[in-house]
Amino acid sequence: MCVCVCVCSLTFHCVPAFDVHLFLVDKLQCVARWFEQVNALPVCQTVAQRVQQQKSLESLKRFLQKQPLEVRVYDAEREMTDEEIQAAGATWSRGLADRPTPAERRHPILPQEGKRNVLITSALPYVNNVPHLGNIIGCVLSADVFARYGRLRGWNALFVCGTDEYGTATENKAREEGLSPQEICDKYHAVHASIYKWFQIDFDHFGRTTTEKQTEIAQDIFWRLYDRGFLIPDTVDQLHCENCQRFLADRFVEGICPNCRYPEARGDQCDKCGRLINAVELKDPQCKVCKRTPVVRSSAHLFLDLPKLESQLEQWLEQSMSTGNWTSNARHITRSWLRDGLKPRCITRDLRWGTPVPHPDFSGKVFYVWFDAPIGYLSITASYTDEWEKWWKNPEKVELYNFMAKDNVPFHSVVFPCSLLGAQDNYTLVSNLIATEYLNYEDTKFSKSRGVGVFGDMAKDTDIPSDVWRFYLLYLRPEGQDSAFSWADMALKNNSELLNNLGNFINRAGMFASKFFEGRVPQMELQQEDKRLLAQVGFELRQYIQLLDRVRIRDALKCILNISRHGNQYIQVNEPWKKIKGGDEDRLRAGTVTGVSVNVACLLSAMLRPYMPAVSATIREQLCAPANCADAMFQGAGSFVCTLPAGHRIGTISPLFQKLEAEQIESLKRRFGGQQVSARRFSFLGGLPVSRSWWLTLVLLFQGDRVRALKAQKAEKTLITAEVAKLLQLKKQLAAAEGKNPEPSPQKGKKK
């Protein structure tokens, strides 16, 4: 059994009976109350004693469920029923059943009759900003995983994105670099494209908003709204910088939020409370360019009449949320907007760089970026194919998935849908809105100017493969709450989950076939134990599909790691390296274990394809896997079949992952500003004094339990040695944290 509790993204391995995984879910004070209720004085010893004394996970589970935490309990050692075991054996024996090789993608991709047509968009990144890791996981990487998964499932999927290139931010960047706005867009569009290519983001089309198609479609929607009475003129008080001699766009003015008093609220939205605001409402506003105090001036503008569209919007939202997949934060943010009542929203700006407003009374103005930018999805698709309306004016046959961070939700769930509803042109509206929380950097914010955090153009210079970056970002994807990138945790996940778990299993399976069976899959005679493994693997595959169908990307990744854990245990228990030296029966047993294991590795290659495409391709190449293996196993609810039958020849087997050394990680941490982060995450816990040494003592305790458990199980010597090394490293870290000499004193020789 596993219990998910909350604390600071650490993982503790307890006694053999079960693991307690501790994650930051809600508030640290909740954990303080937990420790208090189990009389945790001192905490470390009491927790260990209670874990060992209780023996019953159910009593601990009942206790945790009383706490105000997000507790998820699942059985990592789920017992398979006889029916499940026999069914797994029957499914396995079907093999590939002459399944045809899946067709290659051919462009342009258009909706097809009788197919599931899925249109996937990722929030358009601002062209003038180099994306950091939080931007990448919040939008393009999450959408890429889902698009790759959809293709594996046989969906007719189109994945589009592009750079958002209009607005004052671009004008200002151009002024800083002495270039024209178009030259800035050209320069940074190439930067974005290069970064996403390195991260293996597999767009069907990556476009941009500075196109004739954008002007044409945006102006068409404008006139349709205007002709139907959904645009209203009004005079607006705006902030004008006398020093810069220009009206200040929302993102170029900062001040104190009038709602929550946050001191760095932007002119359009407060990042702390999430409320939309008008720039003139800010207290103590400042021009972000020159830091002078702006003055208020009036200007005529056009507004989208959101109150007039509110009833249509509510009807559509009720239908979309009830039938589609909206993340909880997207639902909450959207409902809070409706609860507060919609207000007319300005769609024009006094700028030069943007899509021109075509109305003669408003010449010289451009569309406000949040009216204009979402239309970029349409114009980018139109740049990809002239038949773009088959995707964007086809709501009966197209499912639209939008991926974004939570700050973009209102514009995709309220403002943009109202624009399309008001246009009354049968537009495809979002049916699945997938929003992440924020990813921070070592408990602080990413900052290019302060050199804090890893940005997309820097990741490839770390010598860490892009697949490892993808894995770690997806492993801590901020789905239910904010999460934080940590160099130490990245090294831990790479070395434990990728190297020691996933890579270790796949490499051992392949090496056994190469070394003991001349590079061929051996004959297999399944016993009950083998069929039980097939049932466990099949269960995880079905869970994986169910989770990804609901865009639970992070949770589905854990299913992959669960399968490789099952595989490692299966190999460890059956010891094929010993049985191969025995008689005919033992050699047959070694062959069965090896054959089943390489087939599990083949399945893992398919499941990894959305997450780690290069690693997936390497595994398939090493196993010489047939092209239709994924297609066979991903149909319907998912079925684990034998894809590498006896006699199948495999290729050359080599390690998939490399260890991230402590020295390398410390160097990267210093390079990217990690040393600037204080240890405040260890400073308190709901009123209990907590230090780094406190945490290390707790981790050390559980690591000691793990080593003792492995020795009691007579585990493989290399595994015990690796865990002992971790234990010794933790002891050194604890000594350093307590100000002691981390190196043990030399022992004096005993007297004879």
Side-chain angles (χ1 to χ4, degrees):
M1 278 276 197
C2 285
V3 183
C4 293
V5 194
C6 97
V7 178
C8 289
S9 298
L10 296 174
T11 301
F12 301 117
H13 297 282
C14 304
V15 294
F18 59 93
D19 292 345
V20 179
H21 295 270
L22 301 106
F23 296 104
L24 183 59
V25 175
D26 188 7
K27 297 179 181 178
L28 294 178
Q29 286 82 350
C30 300
V31 184
R33 288 197 291 273
W34 175 45
F35 286 140
E36 289 166 356
Q37 291 195 26
V38 294
N39 303 314
L41 292 172
V43 172
C44 304
Q45 292 83 344
T46 306
V47 171
Q49 290 166 3
R50 292 199 52 104
V51 166
Q52 292 177 347
Q53 289 168 359
Q54 284 186 295
K55 300 294 184 183
S56 168
L57 179 64
E58 288 305 313
S59 61
L60 180 59
K61 170 184 167 182
R62 286 193 297 272
F63 164 75
L64 291 170
Q65 287 175 334
K66 296 177 183 177
Q67 309 311 309
L69 298 167
E70 179 184 307
V71 179
R72 290 183 294 135
V73 181
Y74 64 94
D75 192 349
E77 301 297 333
R78 182 177 181 273
E79 281 298 319
M80 296 291 139
T81 66
D82 288 340
E83 291 80 5
E84 289 174 317
I85 291 171
Q86 296 310 312
T91 300
W92 161 272
S93 64
R94 292 205 307 262
L96 291 178
D98 298 324
R99 285 187 177 271
T101 301
E104 293 184 5
R105 256 191 297 171
R106 293 185 178 180
H107 298 286
I109 299 168
L110 297 172
Q112 298 178 24
E113 287 289 340
K115 296 274 282 186
R116 184 176 179 185
N117 299 302
V118 180
L119 177 57
I120 301 166
T121 69
S122 170
L124 307 183
Y126 283 122
V127 73
N128 61 295
N129 292 333
V130 176
H132 57 64
L133 298 181
N135 303 138
I136 290 168
I137 184 59
C139 301
V140 295
L141 179 53
S142 296
D144 179 64
V145 170
F146 189 69
R148 288 175 179 272
Y149 168 72
R151 295 172 193 135
L152 278 177
R153 293 277 278 155
W155 303 343
N156 185 46
L158 177 68
F159 176 25
V160 296
C161 186
T163 42
D164 176 10
E165 302 190 350
Y166 284 131
T168 302
T170 303
E171 283 189 44
N172 191 60
K173 190 74 171 178
R175 188 166 61 251
E176 288 177 4
E177 297 195 17
L179 300 172
S180 70
Q182 187 62 62
E183 289 171 332
I184 280 290
C185 292
D186 294 343
K187 173 183 175 180
Y188 283 96
H189 175 81
V191 169
H192 278 265
S194 174
I195 289 169
Y196 302 141
K197 181 179 180 181
W198 187 81
F199 274 96
Q200 304 174 75
I201 308 301
D202 191 13
F203 303 112
D204 290 302
H205 184 65
F206 184 70
R208 52 201 307 186
T209 58
T210 52
T211 64
E212 287 299 320
K213 292 289 186 184
Q214 175 74 10
T215 301
E216 176 187 327
I217 296 172
Q219 291 184 348
D220 176 68
I221 291 174
F222 167 83
W223 280 120
R224 294 184 70 88
L225 289 168
Y226 186 85
D227 292 341
R228 286 158 180 76
F230 293 119
L231 297 181
I232 52 178
D234 200 357
T235 300
V236 178
D237 288 338
Q238 292 179 247
L239 294 178
H240 187 273
C241 180
E242 303 291 282
N243 185 60
C244 296
Q245 295 186 354
R246 63 189 303 155
F247 284 102
L248 295 180
D250 296 336
R251 290 177 178 264
F252 275 79
V253 59
E254 278 187 352
I256 300 171
C257 174
N259 301 303
C260 70
R261 308 294 298 173
Y262 179 60
E264 297 178 7
R266 298 194 311 266
D268 60 346
Q269 188 175 22
C270 175
D271 284 338
K272 184 175 182 182
C273 68
R275 288 175 177 264
L276 291 187
I277 50 184
N278 289 320
V280 292
E281 297 173 345
L282 291 171
K283 308 297 182 183
D284 300 328
Q286 273 192 342
C287 170
K288 287 185 68 175
V289 177
C290 68
K291 305 302 180 184
R292 302 285 183 89
T293 300
V295 299
V296 177
R297 284 193 183 180
S298 296
S299 180
H301 285 281
L302 283 166
F303 287 71
L304 179 61
D305 195 349
L306 293 179
K308 194 172 181 179
L309 289 158
E310 190 164 357
S311 61
Q312 289 185 57
L313 178 71
E314 288 180 339
Q315 290 177 17
W316 165 74
L317 282 171
E318 183 178 355
Q319 183 270 334
S320 181
M321 287 187 179
S322 62
T323 59
N325 190 345
W326 288 54
T327 53
S328 58
N329 56 357
R331 293 171 184 268
H332 174 75
I333 292 168
T334 302
R335 285 169 179 155
S336 68
W337 264 56
L338 293 172
R339 184 181 60 246
D340 296 341
L342 299 183
K343 299 176 178 61
R345 190 74 182 164
C346 188
I347 69 163
T348 56
R349 284 292 183 266
D350 288 302
L351 305 175
R352 291 182 289 274
W353 184 245
T355 302
V357 178
H359 197 291
D361 293 345
F362 297 89
S363 61
K365 299 182 188 293
V366 300
F367 289 130
Y368 173 40
V369 68
W370 273 113
F371 173 79
D372 186 58
I375 297 173
Y377 298 133
L378 284 64
S379 70
I380 287 168
T381 310
S383 298
Y384 166 71
T385 173
D386 290 338
E387 299 180 87
W388 65 274
E389 291 184 350
K390 290 184 177 180
W391 284 107
W392 284 103
K393 295 185 181 181
N394 195 1
E396 296 81 14
K397 296 179 181 178
V398 172
E399 300 173 58
L400 174 58
Y401 283 78
N402 287 162
F403 285 81
M404 70 201 68
K406 63 182 178 182
D407 58 335
N408 283 339
V409 167
F411 307 104
H412 288 78
S413 67
V414 176
V415 179
F416 186 45
C418 279
S419 298
L420 298 183
L421 287 168
Q424 298 177 3
D425 203 15
N426 196 40
Y427 278 108
T428 302
L429 301 180
V430 61
S431 47
N432 304 270
L433 203 157
I434 313 300
T436 62
E437 301 292 321
Y438 294 137
L439 177 71
N440 296 316
Y441 179 79
E442 300 272 9
D443 280 355
T444 190
K445 290 185 177 182
F446 289 86
S447 173
K448 190 87 169 179
S449 60
R450 291 188 292 117
V452 175
V454 182
F455 287 72
D457 55 345
M458 304 171 179
K460 61 183 176 183
D461 297 329
T462 62
D463 294 327
I464 298 173
S466 63
D467 265 9
V468 174
W469 282 104
R470 286 175 63 108
F471 168 82
Y472 183 59
L473 291 174
L474 292 162
Y475 191 96
L476 52 79
R477 184 174 183 262
E479 294 183 359
Q481 63 284 321
D482 292 356
S483 60
F485 173 91
S486 160
W487 282 109
D489 188 55
M490 183 180 188
L492 176 65
K493 296 300 185 294
N494 177 83
N495 297 344
S496 61
E497 294 290 11
L498 292 183
L499 186 64
N500 294 340
N501 176 16
L502 180 66
N504 181 53
F505 168 70
I506 294 172
N507 188 256
R508 290 171 88 188
M511 288 303 297
F512 290 153
S514 293
K515 183 177 180 181
F516 301 142
F517 300 99
E518 300 178 339
R520 292 187 181 274
V521 176
Q523 193 67 33
M524 294 170 276
E525 287 190 10
L526 300 185
Q527 299 179 4
Q528 189 77 351
E529 181 182 0
D530 308 310
K531 294 177 183 178
R532 180 176 289 106
L533 175 69
L534 302 183
Q536 290 172 326
V537 171
F539 170 77
E540 294 291 349
L541 172 60
R542 292 189 295 275
Q543 289 289 106
Y544 169 94
I545 288 174
Q546 290 175 20
L547 289 166
L548 277 181
D549 278 352
R550 303 198 305 271
V551 206
R552 298 281 293 278
I553 293 172
R554 186 184 62 196
D555 290 340
L557 178 57
K558 308 299 170 60
C559 295
I560 298 174
L561 302 175
N562 287 343
I563 289 175
S564 56
R565 266 189 283 273
H566 286 308
N568 277 315
Q569 292 169 1
Y570 173 70
I571 289 176
Q572 201 62 35
V573 168
N574 284 281
E575 300 180 324
W577 64 92
K578 290 183 179 179
K579 288 186 170 58
I580 195 65
K581 301 174 184 176
D584 291 344
E585 189 174 330
D586 280 348
R587 288 181 61 82
L588 177 60
R589 185 70 195 136
T592 298
V593 172
T594 298
V596 169
S597 296
V598 293
N599 271 277
V600 173
C602 187
L603 169 65
L604 288 171
S605 75
M607 296 174 71
L608 280 168
R609 200 182 301 184
Y611 293 90
M612 306 178 76
V615 167
S616 170
T618 299
I619 298 169
R620 297 197 306 276
E621 180 181 346
Q622 291 184 9
L623 297 178
C624 298
N628 58 347
C629 64
D631 182 64
M633 293 185 283
F634 276 72
Q635 296 305 305
S639 54
F640 179 34
V641 300
C642 179
T643 55
L644 306 179
H648 173 87
R649 178 169 289 282
I650 65 173
T652 303
I653 303 299
S654 59
L656 297 170
F657 305 107
Q658 291 185 333
K659 184 178 181 180
L660 292 178
E661 301 290 349
E663 297 79 8
Q664 178 186 5
I665 291 300
E666 284 303 315
S667 173
L668 291 169
K669 191 173 181 180
R670 288 191 298 271
R671 175 180 167 189
F672 293 107
Q675 75 278 7
Q676 301 176 23
V677 182
S678 70
R680 63 183 181 277
R681 72 186 298 175
F682 303 108
S683 62
F684 70 91
L685 180 60
L688 294 178
V690 178
S691 64
R692 177 174 174 79
S693 61
W694 186 95
W695 286 115
L696 287 169
T697 301
L698 189 57
V699 179
L700 186 65
L701 181 71
F702 288 124
Q703 184 64 19
D705 285 340
R706 179 164 176 77
V707 170
R708 285 188 289 275
L710 290 171
K711 288 180 177 179
Q713 295 169 357
K714 299 187 185 307
E716 193 175 350
K717 187 176 180 180
T718 55
L719 181 59
I720 295 175
T721 302
E723 295 301 326
V724 169
K726 292 179 187 177
L727 183 66
L728 295 175
Q729 185 63 32
L730 283 168
K731 287 181 178 180
K732 290 182 180 180
Q733 292 177 18
L734 178 60
E738 292 177 341
K740 301 175 184 177
N741 183 3
E743 299 297 331
S745 302
Q747 293 184 349
K748 296 180 180 179
K750 294 183 179 179
K751 293 182 180 180
K752 294 185 179 178

